[in-house]
Amino acid sequence: EGETLDYRVEVNIQYDEQGQPFTTLGRVTRALVDSAYGTMSHHDVVATREERWLPDLKFDVGKAYRLLVALAKGDDDYVEEAKRAARRAALKEDAEAGDEMYYTFVQRSNFLSGFEDEIPYMKNRFYLLKSAAAGPGNTHWLHFGRTVDEAIEKCLQQTVACVLAAINVTDGELKRQLKAGRLEKLPELRKDFFTKKRVEEARRAR
């Protein structure tokens, strides 16, 4: 967007049949997020990425974190595209080109609900979705909605909580940093991102 970055950002490239180099928007976005939008050196990026998250997480926390950064920066286009991709996944519709760059933060529940007439003649239709992001013990939270979009929104909120809870710090340090409104390993998230509701949900997800 015309801004000069503080540090060089490394992005992997490929070559087409004519030998011309190209890359993808997803790679550029990931490189920018990893470098805190050009405010961290490549050396610090690697060190931070290796130490940022708790080990043995059962979900793609790096990809999920890009969604949090979009929320924090008010990138409504990115967030809405991610929601649309999640909706297609929830409805088991064919993926569209570009869906792979977004974190699929919903999964269908094993319990029957309003999808595809799983329960015939349901008078008051409701929908159950699981948050793809997991908590302690690989726990996936189940969310209820009167509409598909309501269930998706709740899964998105759960994703935020699970990512914030996945920071590789002690429980006490996480609590302190959440209360202060700044996670040292996630410098892209501004203080106003840490609402009371998000802080409480992150602590529960830990």
Side-chain angles (χ1 to χ4, degrees):
E1 298 179 355
E3 296 184 14
T4 301
L5 304 180
D6 296 330
Y7 292 95
R8 174 171 55 91
V9 176
E10 295 189 3
V11 180
N12 292 329
I13 63 171
Q14 294 174 260
Y15 293 88
D16 60 20
E17 295 178 353
Q18 286 73 43
Q20 297 298 315
F22 74 94
T23 190
T24 64
L25 176 60
R27 290 173 184 165
V28 173
T29 300
R30 180 167 186 171
L32 287 171
V33 169
D34 281 348
S35 66
Y37 285 79
T39 61
M40 296 172 60
S41 70
H42 179 66
H43 178 272
D44 290 339
V45 167
V46 174
T48 301
R49 187 166 54 225
E50 290 173 347
E51 301 172 358
R52 176 177 283 181
W53 310 114
L54 292 170
D56 302 321
L57 294 171
K58 303 300 182 181
F59 68 102
D60 189 346
V61 66
K63 201 169 187 179
Y65 180 52
R66 293 203 291 278
L67 185 53
L68 266 68
V69 173
L71 283 167
K73 291 184 174 293
D75 188 347
D76 295 337
D77 290 341
Y78 186 98
V79 174
E80 289 305 314
E81 285 297 332
K83 287 182 181 180
R84 282 191 280 270
R87 197 175 200 278
R88 285 188 283 273
L91 296 174
K92 294 186 177 180
E93 296 177 346
D94 292 339
E96 294 187 0
D99 280 2
E100 69 280 355
M101 71 179 285
Y102 304 105
Y103 177 60
T104 305
F105 56 88
V106 301
Q107 296 176 353
R108 286 281 282 271
S109 168
N110 294 328
F111 296 101
L112 299 180
S113 63
F115 291 105
E116 300 167 354
D117 297 323
E118 290 177 347
I119 304 178
Y121 314 114
M122 181 187 291
K123 183 177 180 180
N124 297 313
R125 192 164 294 276
F126 64 90
Y127 301 88
L128 295 174
L129 287 172
K130 289 192 301 183
S131 169
N138 197 28
T139 301
H140 292 267
W141 280 268
L142 190 65
H143 293 284
F144 162 95
R146 291 292 182 185
T147 65
V148 177
D149 290 332
E150 182 183 353
I152 287 173
E153 190 63 38
K154 290 179 179 179
C155 286
L156 176 58
Q157 295 171 16
Q158 187 66 59
T159 300
V160 172
C162 288
V163 173
L164 296 180
I167 300 302
N168 190 12
V169 294
T170 64
D171 291 352
E173 183 61 20
L174 177 64
K175 178 180 178 180
R176 184 190 69 78
Q177 292 186 25
L178 284 171
K179 186 176 180 180
R182 182 178 183 276
L183 293 177
E184 294 176 1
K185 292 179 182 289
L186 305 182
E188 303 90 341
L189 303 182
R190 299 172 302 197
K191 186 178 179 66
D192 59 3
F193 182 79
F194 296 92
T195 63
K196 181 179 179 180
K197 184 174 186 292
R198 283 173 173 163
V199 168
E200 291 174 350
E201 290 177 345
R203 291 180 60 184
R204 285 198 298 269
R206 183 74 170 204

